[in-house]
Amino acid sequence: MGNVTIKLLAERLNVSTATISKALCDSHEISEQTKQKVLELARELNYIPNAYASSLRRNRSQTIAVLIPEVADSFFSLALNGIEEVALQRGYHTLIYMTHEKLEREKAILKELSGGRVDGVIMSVTAETDSFEHIHNFSRQLPVVFFDRVCPDLNTAKITTNDFECGYLATKHLIEAGCRKIVLLAVSNSLSIMSERSMGFNKAIKDFDLNENDCRIVYCGEDAVYNYQLIKELMQGTNRPDGILATVEKLTTEIYLACNHLSINIPRQVKVVCFSNQASAVILNPSLTTITQPAFEMGKTAATALLKALKNNSLVLAEESMVIPSALNIRSSTSVAVQTY
Amino acid sequence: MGNVTIKLLAERLNVSTATISKALCDSHEISEQTKQKVLELARELNYIPNAYASSLRRNRSQTIAVLIPEVADSFFSLALNGIEEVALQRGYHTLIYMTHEKLEREKAILKELSGGRVDGVIMSVTAETDSFEHIHNFSRQLPVVFFDRVCPDLNTAKITTNDFECGYLATKHLIEAGCRKIVLLAVSNSLSIMSERSMGFNKAIKDFDLNENDCRIVYCGEDAVYNYQLIKELMQGTNRPDGILATVEKLTTEIYLACNHLSINIPRQVKVVCFSNQASAVILNPSLTTITQPAFEMGKTAATALLKALKNNSLVLAEESMVIPSALNIRSSTSVAVQTY
DNA sequence: AAAATTTACGTAAACGATTAAGTTAACTGT
DNA sequence: ACAGTTAACTTAATCGTTTACGTAAATTTT
């Protein structure tokens, strides 16, 4: 559609395309006069640089990719928000890919991206990701920053939260609230965050001398109905827990529904803590005690680290790793005295 | 870093780059033998096409952009999910931009995108968008599909839900539950969805002969604290409403908190309906009556419409417009008999 | 068997921007 | 005044693919 290019500007002003190009990026080789003229004409004709021509030539796409398991989760939504904010502000574009917890998707996406479509990647691995060769290979070509769910044996920036401590703290909180039979609900045994949280959980169980047979880890799945059944069975079993520590936000609904259906009172009969960033935690009945992760901050930090590396043309940026602490928000779902709100 | 390109493949096989290129896209001009050889070598050397070279040459980026106000909202999250699903499946990439309800951002992003970075755009306008010239101009260059918040006077595909009816239905439901003083909480007076919902609201008020002075529209803002105060004042005012219809999900928290703080019982003293896709609606206290929009479906439909247009090189695709109905989920926040769950 | 067509390639010019290297002309210092 | 420098450009190659067009051999047609 006869787009206005650098060539057209050059013809109109009787200069070379080189001059236009340099004028547009404010090169010192160009006089102020010509710069003015170029800028003016560019504005007049509404010149917009062709991103692909530029990317091809400079081998820089000004684009980053974000790989997350899903977006229908407050944590990832907020993190994406943080990432996009920093990226846009620095003139970068953000490609979004959802792996839906499928390792195959992760592999396929990374492979395609290594063609040069992006300058770098920010990712949180899938729950299935138990081998890391594909990520290793990829990271030799392009900078990768991990957030939350990291790839352990890779020497790059990892933006995480204090999962171990939170696992410990949440468990300790449950114990101090009187729980003796605590179940940790997990979703994967390969995820870094899961093992961290579990280790914190286990340590608390030991430190406080709880019966290790009463305190176990139960693995949930991706399907809400399945999880609902699982939790119901758990709560109907012979050794019913009096404390639940859920490691993913989406289990909240299933826990509340299951307990409600079985007429098990939270927090009287079972106390609940959830790793969750849901705004609605505060208006649940009872309001939910949560570990809230600094999702937005983590996203911003990850993006900042990546863009810094891009600026410096460096691949490895392990020193940019950061642990941003989460917060334990104590609410009614773990209160000792019975109350509704 | 010495990437493997078509040129390299050509040298290795002693053919021209044209042959490689054609072989890779399975052209009939190339013999099966050579195709095999090319494919094999490509796999062996892990050839990945350079997206930008291809985009530049073909003037096609295989990329779409999604402009949404925010992602920390169940509706937009789910819609994005649907869009990305369709896009990925068809080999398209998805750029995400959040406007944060700022018209200026919307303008700036669209301007940059018109440089050719994407083949088309799927968007939901900001709450500030009250003039549409920038969108008009843009849509002359690239295909645009709207979802949810549409640009009224533009002849293109619009994927919406039955906002008018839902406004009517929700209001009717409140009236039938006994409400006589209903307030609609809005966030903008320019948004298509808001006017649709308000019109439905107003029609129901008229149809059922409610006092129009007792039933009004109150405009909320972007700030949660401000909204909380606003709702508290509303509930403390002389003419306290006995029914609230909230048009955006995020107001739920403020409504519940305000009522809780003022010890106003939902649903006994005030009944609440919310346009919301939050999964937690069902576990709130009381569980929340919602209008849930078919967010994921809308996203998928919007993406499908756009990709269809891209295939046909068409700009206008008004005939792809679609209205996918929302559902009214009646729960305890509007029940006549008092109950907690 | 000559002409026409098809098959299977190769040549080279794009796409639009960037940039190393070259070219003037003007200016600087001694 | 003359070598050396600087300012302000231009030329042309380049990024990696795609594709219109050219071509030679093989095949088919008549």
Side-chain angles (χ1 to χ4, degrees):
Chain A
M1 36 192 133
N3 252 324
V4 32
T5 70
I6 244 180
K7 212 168 162 183
L8 180 66
L9 297 184
E11 281 170 17
R12 293 286 184 97
L13 292 178
N14 270 320
V15 293
S16 73
T17 60
T19 304
I20 304 287
S21 176
K22 288 173 186 167
L24 289 174
C25 63
D26 204 32
S27 159
H28 66 276
E29 290 182 43
I30 305 298
S31 71
E32 283 307 319
Q33 284 180 44
T34 355
K35 277 182 195 172
Q36 286 305 319
K37 275 197 280 184
V38 171
L39 266 304
E40 200 179 320
L41 187 66
R43 198 173 319 115
E44 194 185 321
L45 300 185
N46 196 30
Y47 165 75
I48 295 156
N50 182 303
Y52 296 118
S54 172
S55 296
L56 175 61
R57 180 59 228 253
R58 307 204 314 146
N59 204 24
R60 270 313 197 83
S61 63
Q62 293 293 110
T63 304
I64 62 174
V66 178
L67 265 75
I68 53 177
E70 53 179 331
V71 75
D73 174 285
S74 307
F75 173 76
F76 290 114
S77 286
L78 290 167
L80 176 59
N81 210 323
I83 293 169
E84 200 266 348
E85 171 137 328
V86 173
L88 196 66
Q89 183 192 311
R90 310 263 191 108
Y92 273 79
H93 299 254
T94 309
L95 281 170
I96 175 82
Y97 300 91
M98 291 162 214
T99 54
H100 296 284
E101 308 284 14
K102 299 280 170 232
L103 177 57
E104 281 316 311
R105 282 220 199 189
E106 186 174 277
K107 285 184 181 173
I109 294 164
L110 283 183
K111 177 163 184 189
E112 175 148 12
L113 291 182
S114 65
R117 189 177 285 271
V118 295
D119 297 338
V121 169
I122 297 176
M123 66 184 290
S124 217
V125 304
T126 80
E128 286 183 6
T129 307
D130 50 1
S131 74
F132 302 100
E133 218 187 310
H134 60 294
I135 303 181
H136 261 98
N137 289 337
F138 183 84
S139 73
R140 266 190 283 275
Q141 307 195 41
L142 287 177
V144 179
V145 170
F146 291 98
F147 74 102
D148 198 49
R149 302 167 167 202
V150 308
C151 170
D153 50 347
L154 195 62
N155 185 38
T156 187
K158 296 165 191 172
I159 314 300
T160 53
T161 183
N162 54 345
D163 286 300
F164 176 83
E165 288 163 49
C166 287
Y168 186 89
L169 225 67
T171 312
K172 179 171 173 251
H173 173 65
L174 284 170
I175 295 170
E176 289 173 347
C179 299
R180 290 298 170 265
K181 301 172 177 182
I182 307 176
V183 163
L184 177 113
L185 296 180
V187 293
S188 155
N189 47 7
S190 53
L191 281 178
S192 54
I193 50 169
M194 287 303 157
S195 53
E196 290 288 322
R197 292 171 190 175
S198 311
M199 282 165 60
F201 170 76
N202 285 328
K203 185 171 190 325
I205 299 299
K206 271 201 186 117
D207 284 3
F208 288 85
D209 280 328
L210 291 212
N211 183 331
E212 294 185 29
N213 292 322
D214 294 338
C215 299
R216 54 220 158 94
I217 297 178
V218 171
Y219 290 96
C220 297
E222 283 302 308
D223 183 54
V225 177
Y226 170 81
N227 290 339
Y228 175 69
Q229 287 299 336
L230 189 74
I231 293 166
K232 254 173 65 173
E233 280 164 32
L234 182 70
M235 299 308 288
Q236 287 175 304
T238 51
N239 201 16
R240 188 216 278 174
D242 57 6
I244 296 180
L245 174 52
T247 53
V248 283
E249 178 177 300
K250 65 177 171 191
L251 293 174
T252 309
T253 309
E254 277 70 69
I255 295 170
Y256 271 63
L257 284 180
C259 289
N260 183 42
H261 187 253
L262 298 173
S263 298
I264 296 173
N265 183 279
I266 306 172
R268 193 154 34 81
Q269 293 167 285
V270 62
K271 302 192 198 306
V272 179
V273 178
C274 221
F275 279 82
S276 169
N277 286 67
Q278 283 179 289
S280 58
V282 74
I283 54 170
L284 295 182
N285 177 39
S287 63
L288 178 66
T289 295
T290 59
I291 309 277
T292 55
Q293 301 150 282
F296 186 73
E297 273 300 319
M298 286 171 76
K300 277 177 70 169
T301 309
T304 305
L306 181 62
L307 298 191
K308 184 174 172 186
L310 292 180
K311 207 174 200 173
N312 305 337
N313 270 323
S314 68
L315 273 182
V316 182
L317 21 90
E319 67 282 358
E320 296 293 330
S321 289
M322 203 159 160
V323 179
I324 311 177
S326 294
L328 172 65
N329 302 98
I330 299 175
R331 301 203 183 89
S332 308
S333 69
T334 54
S335 54
V336 179
V338 178
Q339 60 176 84
T340 38
Y341 242 90
Chain B
M1 38 193 129
N3 253 323
V4 32
T5 70
I6 246 181
K7 213 167 161 182
L8 180 66
L9 297 184
E11 280 169 17
R12 293 286 185 96
L13 292 177
N14 269 322
V15 293
S16 72
T17 60
T19 303
I20 304 287
S21 176
K22 288 172 188 168
L24 288 174
C25 63
D26 203 31
S27 160
H28 65 276
E29 288 183 44
I30 304 298
S31 71
E32 283 306 320
Q33 285 180 43
T34 352
K35 277 182 193 171
Q36 286 304 319
K37 275 197 281 184
V38 172
L39 266 302
E40 201 180 320
L41 187 66
R43 198 172 318 115
E44 194 185 321
L45 300 186
N46 196 30
Y47 166 74
I48 295 156
N50 182 303
Y52 295 116
S54 173
S55 295
L56 176 59
R57 180 58 228 250
R58 306 204 315 145
N59 205 23
R60 269 314 196 83
S61 63
Q62 293 294 110
T63 304
I64 61 174
V66 178
L67 265 75
I68 52 178
E70 51 179 331
V71 76
D73 173 287
S74 306
F75 173 76
F76 290 115
S77 287
L78 289 167
L80 176 60
N81 211 322
I83 293 170
E84 200 266 347
E85 172 137 326
V86 172
L88 197 66
Q89 183 191 312
R90 310 263 191 106
Y92 273 79
H93 299 255
T94 309
L95 282 170
I96 175 82
Y97 299 92
M98 290 162 217
T99 53
H100 296 284
E101 308 284 15
K102 298 279 172 234
L103 176 57
E104 280 316 312
R105 282 221 199 189
E106 186 174 277
K107 285 185 182 173
I109 294 165
L110 284 184
K111 178 163 183 188
E112 175 147 11
L113 291 182
S114 65
R117 188 178 285 271
V118 295
D119 297 339
V121 168
I122 297 176
M123 66 183 291
S124 218
V125 303
T126 80
E128 287 183 5
T129 307
D130 50 0
S131 74
F132 303 101
E133 217 186 311
H134 59 295
I135 303 182
H136 262 97
N137 289 337
F138 183 83
S139 73
R140 265 191 283 275
Q141 308 195 41
L142 287 176
V144 178
V145 170
F146 291 99
F147 75 101
D148 199 48
R149 303 167 166 202
V150 307
C151 169
D153 49 347
L154 194 63
N155 186 38
T156 186
K158 296 166 191 172
I159 313 300
T160 53
T161 184
N162 54 345
D163 285 300
F164 175 83
E165 288 162 49
C166 287
Y168 187 89
L169 225 67
T171 312
K172 179 172 172 247
H173 173 65
L174 284 171
I175 295 171
E176 289 173 347
C179 300
R180 290 298 171 266
K181 301 173 179 182
I182 307 175
V183 163
L184 178 114
L185 295 180
V187 292
S188 154
N189 47 7
S190 53
L191 281 179
S192 54
I193 50 168
M194 287 302 157
S195 53
E196 289 287 321
R197 292 171 190 175
S198 313
M199 282 166 61
F201 170 76
N202 285 328
K203 184 170 189 329
I205 300 299
K206 271 203 185 117
D207 283 3
F208 288 84
D209 280 328
L210 291 212
N211 184 331
E212 295 185 26
N213 291 323
D214 293 338
C215 299
R216 55 218 158 95
I217 297 177
V218 171
Y219 291 96
C220 298
E222 284 302 307
D223 183 54
V225 178
Y226 169 81
N227 290 339
Y228 174 69
Q229 286 300 337
L230 188 74
I231 293 167
K232 253 173 66 172
E233 280 165 30
L234 181 72
M235 299 309 288
Q236 286 174 305
T238 51
N239 201 16
R240 187 216 280 175
D242 57 7
I244 296 180
L245 174 52
T247 51
V248 283
E249 178 177 300
K250 65 176 172 192
L251 293 174
T252 309
T253 310
E254 277 70 68
I255 295 171
Y256 271 63
L257 284 180
C259 289
N260 183 42
H261 187 253
L262 298 173
S263 297
I264 296 174
N265 182 277
I266 306 173
R268 194 156 32 80
Q269 294 167 283
V270 62
K271 303 193 198 303
V272 179
V273 179
C274 222
F275 279 80
S276 168
N277 285 67
Q278 281 179 290
S280 58
V282 74
I283 54 169
L284 294 183
N285 176 40
S287 64
L288 177 66
T289 295
T290 59
I291 309 277
T292 55
Q293 300 150 281
F296 186 72
E297 273 300 318
M298 286 171 75
K300 277 177 70 170
T301 308
T304 305
L306 180 63
L307 298 191
K308 185 174 171 187
L310 292 181
K311 208 175 200 173
N312 305 337
N313 269 323
S314 69
L315 273 182
V316 182
L317 21 90
E319 67 282 358
E320 296 294 329
S321 290
M322 203 159 159
V323 179
I324 312 177
S326 294
L328 172 65
N329 302 98
I330 299 175
R331 301 204 183 89
S332 308
S333 68
T334 53
S335 55
V336 180
V338 178
Q339 59 178 84
T340 38
Y341 243 89

